[in-house]
Amino acid sequence: MTAHARSRQGRRGLAALVCGALAAGGLAAAGVSALEPGSARASSHREAPLISGQPQYDNTDVYAFVSPDKPDTTTLVANWTPFEEPAGGPNFYPFPEDAQYDIHIDSDGDAQGDLIYRWTFDSKVKNGNTFLYNTGQVTSLDDPDLNFTQTYDIDLLKLKDQKVVSTKKLANNLPVAPSRVGDASMPDYKKLRDQAVRKVAGGGTSYVGQADDPFFLDLQVFDSLYGGDLSQVGDDTLKGYSVNSVALQVPTAEIRQSEKQPTVGVWSTTQRKNAKGDYTQVSRLGNPLVNELVVPLRDKDKFNASSPWNDADFLQYVQKPELARLLEKVYGIKAAAEPRKDLVSVFLTGVKDLNQPPNVRPAEALRLNTSIKPSDDPKRLGVLDGDTAGFPNGRRLTDDVVDIELQAVAGELVGNKNDLGDAVDANDMAFGKTFPYLALPTSPTHAPATKGGGDNTSMRGALGGGAKVQGPSASDGSGGSDAVLIASAAAGAAGVLLVGLGLAWWRARRRGVGGVL
């Protein structure tokens, strides 16, 4: 690739993320100033100071789309716990028991929730005398060798003026698919995932468990705008990482107001129990990238804790987005005139005659017209490419929201045609054709760090410190090299323990408290 080509590609990459955030942000600004206070949502991968230290409560993305294989249903997906490294044991990635995970539905366009789907969790450990997540090979969700298990409930709350008027139990004590430990422990993880797909009350279908992170983009914008020389673009930052997902497929008639008013607004929140036993909102999310790339550090935590109808508090940041100024200053891409009224319909009110409910109150939530049938040939650019079943009409897993937002912010809707993007156009793993549609999480066995030659030679070398293992052959029944390796590992562990105890004793003596040990 020539330097010129790299520069052009890098320029597209930076613009994509910058404008993606600018789009959602600038829109919110314009919409609130032109109409009424609305709401803003954010794709959040460690986007705010407090939530970055609480990944289990960090909502990363929300998706809402008419189910492609069951068009009379709508699929809702929300993800938490960003950047789950495949080999992150021994505790891996449980759902917290002190949290409420919510997906909100606004069925009349007033920026307030009419329905809340709420997930809560319970954990159990079979054997507390081992460090192992599983004590043997796991072949089913009720396998006794699955040492750590979780179950969940789903409650459907109906609201009026933000007060709960009724609660219905949709699911009780259903199994959570475990974190993917590896092929030796879970030789058929897809089977485990399939077993975790369950029917729920009201005609819905549910899945809760680990999944490949479906968001694809290049996030290296934070390294001085792609390194300052446009060389850091085109890599899917989230490749190989997983998230904790809740997915729910529900009859569309259950969430829309009526056939005449089929558009719903969708967003999610996380509440965490505090020391007093009360729940406090710590994260919220609808459209991607707002809190990450628009809201400044001083107000990011406030944004996560606030409500959709109070987003006028952040108007100054979205009216004059910092990223838009950086884009113009560094790359010479002239920022559009403010306020961005051309984008209000895309991000705040819905597009007229597409997904705008009557008497809409501007709110930066996903807006989905549930009467629009799924596309037989989905386009990654959604509505911009003539595919009205895609973003910003809801959000499908395959929608390239970064490129869509970028092109819209760069003026696509006001005649400034462009093909800006971050050079990441699809997820690294294929999505499924049926519910829950999410790709399986990456197995640690196949993660890049564990890959070596055609056999296990490289890994054995690493475990053995690079030394050649000597010992009897495996044919004599003694275990051969494996036995030597295991014995060496055990001896090594004992040696480390002795050294550690020795160091502790020596340090204690140096402090004059040797008698305590």
Side-chain angles (χ1 to χ4, degrees):
M1 181 182 292
T2 65
H4 176 70
R6 285 197 304 271
S7 177
R8 183 172 64 249
Q9 185 184 45
R11 182 176 188 148
R12 290 181 58 186
L14 168 65
L17 278 179
V18 168
C19 288
L22 168 61
L27 300 167
V32 173
S33 61
L35 300 166
E36 299 178 61
S39 76
R41 315 259 155 263
S43 179
S44 56
H45 288 72
R46 296 175 50 81
E47 88 292 350
L50 284 179
I51 205 64
S52 66
Q54 306 172 45
Q56 290 177 305
Y57 312 89
D58 187 358
N59 193 176
T60 66
D61 282 285
V62 174
Y63 301 83
F65 52 91
V66 176
S67 308
D69 56 329
K70 293 185 177 181
D72 61 339
T73 68
T74 296
T75 296
L76 308 169
V77 177
N79 299 327
W80 281 265
T81 315
F83 298 107
E84 292 182 359
E85 201 279 330
N91 295 306
F92 292 94
Y93 306 101
F95 289 87
E97 296 181 83
D98 62 346
Q100 296 171 334
Y101 288 171
D102 291 352
I103 293 181
H104 303 250
I105 306 293
D106 171 16
S107 59
D108 56 13
D110 65 355
Q112 298 191 39
D114 299 298
L115 302 173
I116 294 177
Y117 291 98
R118 172 166 293 168
W119 286 258
T120 53
F121 295 86
D122 185 54
S123 305
K124 293 182 179 179
V125 175
K126 295 184 178 74
N127 179 5
N129 294 320
T130 178
F131 67 86
L132 294 170
Y133 186 86
N134 56 289
T135 54
Q137 193 174 83
V138 177
T139 58
S140 66
L141 293 184
D142 59 359
D143 195 312
D145 286 323
L146 183 56
N147 193 40
F148 178 84
T149 60
Q150 288 198 296
T151 57
Y152 67 95
D153 293 355
I154 304 176
D155 293 300
L156 173 59
L157 286 61
K158 293 188 177 181
L159 295 84
K160 179 68 175 179
D161 298 326
Q162 293 308 301
K163 293 182 180 179
V164 177
V165 296
S166 70
T167 301
K168 178 181 179 181
K169 182 74 68 175
L170 297 186
N172 183 46
N173 207 36
L174 292 185
V176 176
S179 295
R180 190 172 186 178
V181 174
D183 291 357
S185 292
M186 299 174 179
D188 190 351
Y189 186 83
K190 184 179 184 304
K191 177 182 176 182
L192 300 179
R193 203 273 287 275
D194 290 345
Q195 290 177 357
V197 175
R198 299 297 180 96
K199 297 295 183 181
V200 299
T205 307
S206 173
Y207 169 75
V208 175
Q210 196 177 43
D212 172 71
D213 193 333
F215 195 21
F216 50 93
L217 79 168
D218 191 326
L219 261 178
Q220 199 65 15
V221 63
F222 298 111
D223 187 10
S224 298
L225 301 183
Y226 289 107
D229 60 0
L230 302 173
S231 61
Q232 301 175 20
V233 296
D235 292 325
D236 185 352
T237 308
L238 302 178
K239 179 179 180 180
Y241 290 107
S242 299
V243 289
N244 280 359
S245 288
V246 303
L248 184 64
Q249 190 174 77
V250 297
T252 297
E254 295 296 313
I255 62 173
R256 70 186 181 191
Q257 186 180 62
S258 66
E259 290 186 7
K260 293 183 178 180
Q261 202 312 86
T263 297
V264 296
V266 182
W267 69 91
S268 68
T269 59
T270 312
Q271 292 73 236
R272 185 178 187 182
K273 186 183 292 186
N274 60 26
K276 295 181 179 180
D278 301 323
Y279 283 94
T280 302
Q281 182 178 307
V282 295
S283 180
R284 66 185 180 109
L285 176 76
N287 278 301
L289 297 172
V290 177
N291 203 3
E292 275 183 317
L293 301 178
V294 175
V295 179
L297 283 170
R298 66 181 183 183
D299 273 348
K300 286 182 179 292
D301 295 324
K302 176 182 177 181
F303 183 91
N304 266 338
S306 62
S307 299
W309 48 91
N310 292 327
D311 280 346
D313 293 347
F314 309 101
L315 178 60
Q316 58 182 315
Y317 308 133
V318 291
Q319 281 183 320
K320 298 180 180 180
E322 178 187 9
L323 284 171
R325 297 193 299 271
L326 290 173
L327 183 63
E328 182 171 11
K329 178 180 179 180
V330 177
Y331 299 101
I333 300 176
K334 187 172 179 59
E338 299 169 342
R340 294 297 306 277
K341 293 183 179 181
D342 59 307
L343 300 178
V344 171
S345 63
V346 176
F347 291 92
L348 294 174
T349 64
V351 178
K352 187 175 177 58
D353 299 325
L354 176 65
N355 62 341
Q356 183 181 116
N359 305 313
V360 63
R361 177 178 181 174
E364 204 272 286
L366 289 177
R367 295 195 184 277
L368 173 66
N369 184 340
T370 60
S371 70
I372 296 178
K373 300 301 181 183
S375 173
D376 293 332
D377 183 23
K379 307 292 186 183
R380 69 177 182 90
L381 295 181
V383 175
L384 286 184
D385 199 17
D387 181 1
T388 57
F391 187 79
N393 182 29
R395 181 183 179 186
R396 301 171 298 194
L397 298 175
T398 56
D399 286 334
D400 193 348
V401 295
V402 171
D403 286 15
I404 295 169
E405 291 183 347
L406 167 64
Q407 293 181 26
V409 172
E412 186 76 19
L413 302 179
V414 292
N416 183 16
K417 302 299 181 181
N418 64 89
D419 62 351
L420 296 175
D422 65 347
V424 179
D425 296 341
N427 194 44
D428 60 298
M429 298 179 68
F431 297 118
K433 301 295 185 182
T434 59
F435 183 86
Y437 308 106
L438 297 156
L440 297 177
T442 297
S443 170
T445 309
H446 303 297
T450 66
K451 291 181 180 178
D455 54 23
N456 292 330
T457 303
S458 60
M459 290 307 298
R460 290 173 184 269
L463 287 170
K468 183 178 180 180
V469 179
Q470 302 289 341
S473 68
S475 61
D476 65 7
S478 64
S481 298
D482 286 340
V484 175
L485 180 60
I486 293 171
S488 298
V496 169
L497 177 61
L498 289 173
V499 170
L501 290 173
L503 285 173
W505 176 83
W506 179 77
R507 288 169 179 163
R509 289 292 301 271
R510 289 289 299 270
R511 298 190 191 102
V513 293
V516 176
L517 296 178

